[in-house]
Every structure is written in C-alpha cells, then in structure tokens.
Amino acid sequence: MKLYTKTGDNGMTSLCGGKRVSKDDIQVEAYGTVDELNAHIGVLKSLLLQSQISDNLKEGHTSQNMNLSIDSFLEELQNELFVVGGALAKESSITSKLPSVSALVVQLEHQIDGLTAAIPAQHNFIYPGGCLMSAQCHVCRTVCRRAERRIITLSKVAQIPEEIFPFMNRLSDYFFILSRYLNIKSDNSEKTWENACR
C-alpha cells in the first residue's frame, strides 16, 4: 500500500469514521496539535538518550536511572496522547470515559510533587533555556498549552471527554517542573526574570 493517497490534495481530510472535513477544521486543529506535542516529546526523549551517552563518555557513569525513569514516563505520556488524539478525532458526539487518562492525571500529580520536592523553591519567572533537555521541555510546555486552548475551542461545538481537560492542564505543569529539574541536575543555573507581574 502506498503512503500517499492523494485524497487530501484538495485540503480535506477524514475523521475517525470517515467524515470528510477541511484540514483547518477546529477538530483537526485540536488533534493535530496533540500530535505535534507528541512529536516534541519524542525530541525530548532523544535528548535524554544523548545525555546518557554523553555522561558515559565523559565520566564513565550515567544518570541512567533518572533518565530512564523519565524516559519511560514520557513514553507513557506519548501513548496516552494517542488515546486523547483518537478521542478528539471521532466524528460522533457520543463521548466515552477514558479511565487511563484519569489514572495518568494522578501519576502526573505524583511526578510533579516528587520533582518539586527535589529542587529549590521557585520565587521568580524563569527564562526558558539552559540545557537542551530543559529548553525542549519548555517547547513541550507551550505546545501543550496551545493544544489545551484548541481543545477548549473545540469543546464549544463538540462534546469532549471530561478527563482530557485536567490531563492537558497537568501535563503542561509537568513539563515546566521537569525543565527546572533537568536544568538543576545538569548544573545549569536558572536565569530568572526579576520583575513581578503587576
């Protein structure tokens, strides 16, 4: 079977179930942004892998346990984003429960709490950057926020499984705290914005 079908050459695509819609339809925009986030998580995983290899070469040891634990959790998140994307791509207005998404919200909260406890408290806004892994976390965070906005827009015209909203909200928080954790554990000083929002 060929990869290309030519059925999208006129700017239309199919939802799950076969309904044809424009490629800039808000439903396509929502699940497409979730897909974009998944791709950015893949880049983050690759950077984590490179950091293990780099540590091996430089020091003869790795922070492998930490990185592998994060890597395995990121893979779990990627899997769940496929679940979310699939739910968003359905043409039916009938929504079903997504228990795996609900369970992962609890896991995200545990992960956030654990990472927060392992690093200094935050008192200022932090500039995105530092090590490549941390910088990529901020890309994931901002794309996640955009996906969340697209899903909220879609929810005004379609029924969305309610579990998706807290999942996307916690997910962006996770990438923020992970960015801080990876920077600090990589001995990169955080650069802060000293002005407060007024």
Side-chain angles (χ1 to χ4, degrees), residues 20-160:
R20 301 287 290 174
V21 296
S22 173
K23 287 185 176 181
D24 66 355
D25 186 273
I26 183 55
Q27 191 165 358
V28 180
E29 184 69 21
Y31 71 72
T33 310
V34 169
D35 185 40
E36 182 183 350
L37 172 59
N38 214 335
H40 280 296
I41 296 173
V43 174
L44 177 56
K45 288 172 60 184
S46 296
L47 291 172
L48 282 165
L49 177 61
Q50 286 182 353
S51 75
Q52 293 173 24
I53 295 170
S54 176
D55 283 348
N56 263 333
L57 294 174
K58 290 179 183 176
E59 303 173 19
H61 69 279
T62 74
S63 52
Q64 189 170 3
N65 289 339
M66 176 195 77
N67 283 357
L68 285 179
S69 175
I70 293 171
D71 182 76
S72 61
F73 188 62
L74 290 174
E75 191 162 310
E76 193 171 351
L77 291 173
Q78 285 187 301
N79 180 73
E80 218 54 41
L81 285 171
F82 278 119
V83 174
V84 170
L88 295 174
K90 289 181 180 178
E91 62 179 78
S92 173
S93 61
I94 300 173
T95 60
S96 55
K97 294 289 185 182
L98 302 175
S100 59
V101 175
S102 293
L104 203 49
V105 170
V106 176
Q107 290 186 52
L108 278 165
E109 291 173 350
H110 289 320
Q111 291 282 335
I112 291 167
D113 291 343
L115 293 171
T116 301
I119 57 177
Q122 173 196 354
H123 300 291
N124 299 92
F125 288 103
I126 296 168
Y127 287 111
C131 69
L132 283 172
M133 295 177 295
S134 176
Q136 182 61 23
C137 282
H138 280 287
V139 174
C140 291
R141 172 183 64 81
T142 54
V143 174
C144 185
R145 285 296 189 199
R146 177 154 51 86
E148 183 182 20
R149 293 193 299 271
R150 298 296 181 267
I151 293 166
I152 289 170
T153 301
L154 176 60
S155 73
K156 294 175 181 176
V157 295
Q159 292 184 19
I160 306 295

